[in-house]
Amino acid sequence: MPLRFIGIDPDTKTADSPTVWVDQDKNELVFQGWKPDPQIEAECAAFEVPGHAVGIPDDEAVIRIPARMVHMIREACDVLERADDR
């Protein structure tokens, strides 16, 4: 899986390192982020909308990404959109 590194949290000083990549084979965004506190995870798990099952499936995770990384997420989205244009 050729991951394309987009960026890491600019405030990283230790092992905490929210990161953004693009999986170019699967055409997907890949994130490493902080685990939410139990209250946030429970709120996400209880969220109900049509077509969205209540709960968090075992193969999915809720993560937190700092707002200061929005520009990296936009860049990753741009990479994927350019790949779709080919």
Side-chain angles (χ1 to χ4, degrees):
M1 162 175 73
L3 286 179
R4 178 174 171 170
F5 173 78
I6 301 297
I8 192 168
D9 180 359
D11 286 1
T12 294
K13 295 180 181 35
T14 61
D16 292 341
S17 53
T19 308
V20 178
W21 296 273
V22 170
D23 180 331
Q24 295 178 301
D25 279 349
K26 294 183 178 177
N27 211 29
E28 297 174 342
L29 300 173
V30 178
F31 297 105
Q32 176 181 329
W34 299 304
K35 292 180 180 180
D37 61 38
Q39 180 181 351
I40 293 292
E41 189 163 26
E43 186 175 338
C44 291
F47 198 76
E48 292 186 60
V49 295
H52 184 274
V54 174
I56 301 168
D58 290 340
D59 63 338
E60 295 183 12
V62 173
I63 63 165
R64 296 172 50 239
I65 299 286
R68 63 184 165 266
M69 294 179 68
V70 166
H71 69 283
M72 293 175 204
I73 296 167
R74 285 189 184 118
E75 180 182 343
C77 291
D78 290 345
V79 167
L80 290 177
E81 284 183 336
R82 283 193 299 273
D84 282 345
D85 290 342
R86 289 187 221 161

